[in-house]
Amino acid sequence: MSSPDLTDADRQAVQEVLNTPILSMGKHTPAFEKTFCDLTGAKHAVAVNSGTAGLHLCVRAAGIGTGDLVITTPFSFVASSNVMLFENAIPIFVDVDARTGNINPELLADAADNIDKYLPRKGKSKNAKLKALLPVDVFGQPADMDAINAVARKHDLKVIEDSCEALGATYKGKQAGTLGDFGVFAFYPNKQITTGEGGVIITNDDKAADFMRALRNQGRAPGDTWLQHTHLGYNYRIDEMSAALGQAQMQRLDELLKKREQVAAWYEARLSEIPAVEVPFVESSTTRMSWFVYVIRFDARINRDDIAKRLDARGIPVRPYFLPIHLQPYMAERFGWRAGDFPVTEDLGRRGLAVPFSSVMTEAQVEAVCAAIRDEIEAV
Ligand SMILES: *Cc1c(COP(=O)(O)O)cnc(C)c1O
């Protein structure tokens, strides 16, 4: 489905760490963090050992706790909602824009104004308070952050921008991740850059940055010794091998994004000619798309799962993208969500298929995938 894009220089960077005794809490973590301040202009970058850990620390720093409400999208990778559950807070879902798959800003505004209408059937608490918004930059395309921030200002809410799929994307010329109070990036091997496992939070909030640095390090506040823990914390530290790899990968970010743009263009040229296939829609506010995955949608008359099976049988790995969060078994059970609650999300979930995508794909490989899709559509 995807592949990391590694050079000898990237491997060498990791090897150099292994030639020293300092495998954690060394100089590579702050150097890696600095590449994010340089890219985004953010005042602080806090590196952690996954995107999920980063989102969780933002939830803690935003003061989101038991029973609090956070408006978010059901069309995302599940971690963006799980981090609320970690703190016994309640994700309030609103449906998405059918073209981009990003949270629908009009529904978001309505939900903030009329929160009672949007509460889940089960699991809500009395006197629950709306605390924050957590939009996701889906598939590498920034959410409509101006509209989202207007809602946040009106209701005095924190904004956590899940940019785990959108490193390097820009919205009206501004870097993804910088558009709310907190932004989070992730570096699993299918992301635009990789550290194996890893994540980075960016923010301009001095106090929150200190707090998140303490929390990632077992709750040790500045001045605490190794066995003093001011806060309830976690081990969310990134190791030095990962940070060094990330530092090397960040030097190549523009090159990596350009290669992904090229692969997306090869796909678009071929797939937009197939009438039963919709190719990704890029909004005019997206001044740079940071291609994360390439998700096509089939015409409603075509059985997506059938095509997926046929492609798989031909050795072409594909994946339905996304399965709606509100219908994941533990979510549906805890909050009483049902099929039909978020129809746009469910429709996209039924028709969407991620095709093989990475910066190392060749035009011949893209052509082979597209030819197989063409064949199988004709066959069904
Ligand atoms: C990748 C991703 C994350 C974080 O994933 P990790 O595997 O924890 O690094 C969070 N949100 C979204 C939308 C993602 O795509």
Side-chain angles (χ1 to χ4, degrees), residues 18-261:
L18 291 170
N19 293 339
T20 76
I22 302 170
L23 307 187
S24 184
M25 301 179 82
K27 64 179 184 191
H28 292 287
T29 299
F32 180 44
E33 290 171 338
K34 184 172 180 298
T35 64
F36 286 84
C37 295
D38 292 345
L39 173 73
T40 63
K43 213 164 154 194
H44 304 282
V46 180
V48 288
N49 53 19
S50 74
T52 307
L55 289 166
H56 185 199
L57 294 189
C58 295
V59 165
R60 287 281 314 268
I64 296 162
T66 300
D68 288 339
L69 309 177
V70 180
I71 301 177
T72 191
T73 166
F75 190 69
S76 172
F77 183 64
V78 72
S80 60
S81 292
N82 282 350
V83 294
M84 265 80 92
L85 272 62
F86 295 169
E87 296 301 325
N88 290 308
I90 300 169
I92 302 297
F93 294 123
V94 304
D95 216 341
V96 296
D97 179 282
R99 295 169 314 162
T100 63
N102 276 325
I103 197 162
N104 180 323
E106 277 137 46
L107 287 177
L108 176 81
D110 186 58
D113 286 341
N114 307 289
I115 197 76
D116 288 346
K117 250 173 48 190
Y118 289 80
L119 294 176
R121 294 185 181 83
K122 281 167 56 179
K124 57 199 163 211
S125 52
K126 270 197 220 111
N127 308 319
K129 190 170 170 349
L130 178 60
K131 277 276 181 69
L133 308 176
L134 198 154
V136 178
D137 300 332
V138 171
F139 303 156
Q141 170 149 250
D144 188 356
M145 294 302 292
D146 281 351
I148 292 165
N149 285 324
V151 174
R153 274 192 301 276
K154 179 173 174 192
H155 295 272
D156 192 22
L157 306 170
K158 292 284 184 199
V159 177
I160 301 168
E161 185 185 3
D162 180 343
S163 298
C164 289
E165 302 190 350
L167 175 62
T170 61
Y171 170 81
K172 302 181 185 176
K174 296 182 214 137
Q175 286 284 328
T178 64
L179 303 160
D181 297 285
F182 306 98
V184 182
F185 303 110
F187 317 119
Y188 184 74
N190 68 341
K191 308 279 180 177
Q192 290 87 337
I193 71 152
T194 188
T195 60
E197 299 285 359
V200 159
I201 306 153
I202 55 172
T203 185
N204 291 329
D205 182 331
D206 301 339
K207 258 180 70 184
D210 282 348
F211 185 56
M212 294 191 289
R213 286 200 180 93
L215 293 193
R216 81 172 161 186
N217 187 25
Q218 302 284 15
R220 296 179 185 105
D224 280 356
T225 64
W226 189 251
L227 295 176
Q228 285 179 315
H229 309 272
T230 299
H231 312 286
L232 167 63
Y234 317 92
N235 180 355
Y236 282 171
R237 295 183 304 259
I238 193 167
D239 63 70
E240 285 285 284
M241 291 76 78
S242 299
L245 177 56
Q247 214 185 321
Q249 290 257 290
M250 280 298 278
Q251 307 311 308
R252 300 170 52 224
L253 177 63
D254 195 54
E255 174 205 326
L256 293 173
L257 295 184
K258 282 193 177 125
K259 283 161 96 179
R260 296 176 90 97
E261 259 156 39

